[in-house]
């Protein structure tokens, strides 16, 4: 998780990219109904550098992000079944920040940028990093 990686004050009033159709889970005694997407340099423990994905200020709250070059689709209401959760794990394994910091989905030699109505979703400084 992000606990201890990103100060709470950095989250207040900030636009974030979330996955909101995962089955709710208890985390530290509190029900979590969404997962924030962040880039990681892949280091372990205290040495890991983590950054939330950057959303342009002009993007309205609640907007569905899309991948450039892929047909937009309606998300499932909630990923409850084991098959749906495995599908999410396969998608998550293909998310990464590119050489220029763009959040991307890369599969089978093709790369698709994550975009919003305000432009691409990016990392602040991490490059060629995993997104999870």
């Amino acid at each position: 998780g992000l606990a201890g990686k990103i100060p709470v004050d950095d989250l207040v009033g900030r636009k974030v990219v979330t996955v909101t159709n995962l089955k709710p889970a208890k985390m530290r005694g509190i029900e979590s109904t969404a997962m924030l997407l962040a880039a990681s340099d892949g280091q372990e423990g205290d040495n890991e550098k983590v950054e939330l994905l950057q959303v342009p200020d002009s993007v309205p709250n609640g907007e569905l992000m899309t991948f450039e070059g892929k047909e937009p689709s309606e998300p499932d209401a909630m990923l409850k079944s084991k098959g749906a959760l495995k599908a999410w794990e396969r998608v998550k394994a293909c998310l990464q920040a590119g050489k220029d910091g763009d959040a991307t989905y890369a599969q089978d030699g093709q790369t698709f940028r994550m975009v919003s109505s305000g432009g691409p979703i990016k990392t602040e400084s991490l490059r060629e990093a995993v997104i999870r």
Side-chain angles (χ1 to χ4, degrees):
L2 295 175
K5 305 283 183 190
I6 297 176
V8 173
D9 290 345
D10 288 357
L11 296 171
V12 176
R14 181 177 182 153
K15 292 191 181 279
V16 294
V17 178
T18 62
V19 177
T20 59
N21 60 347
L22 299 175
K23 185 177 175 183
K26 288 260 184 182
M27 299 182 78
R28 299 181 183 206
I30 299 172
E31 184 177 73
S32 173
T33 59
M35 177 174 40
L36 297 174
L37 290 185
S40 167
D41 65 3
Q43 298 284 322
E44 295 290 326
D46 292 340
N47 294 329
E48 181 183 27
K49 181 174 182 181
V50 175
E51 294 177 356
L52 292 172
L53 298 182
Q54 305 262 304
V55 179
D57 288 337
S58 63
V59 175
N61 292 339
E63 179 176 305
L64 182 66
M65 301 296 115
T66 59
F67 290 96
E68 202 171 57
K70 287 220 166 260
E71 287 295 318
S73 61
E74 286 299 312
D76 294 331
M78 185 182 298
L79 303 176
K80 291 190 243 182
S81 71
K82 287 184 180 181
L85 291 172
K86 285 183 181 180
W88 163 241
E89 291 300 321
R90 288 191 302 272
V91 168
K92 189 166 64 168
C94 296
L95 297 175
Q96 61 190 29
K99 291 179 183 179
D100 56 2
D102 286 344
T104 64
Y105 174 82
Q107 185 181 36
D108 299 329
Q110 292 186 296
T111 301
F112 306 92
R113 290 190 318 162
M114 185 185 295
V115 294
S116 67
S117 61
I121 305 301
K122 299 177 114 5
T123 60
E124 185 177 329
S125 66
L126 289 175
R127 304 295 183 255
E128 297 181 330
V130 297
I131 294 175
R132 50 182 171 194

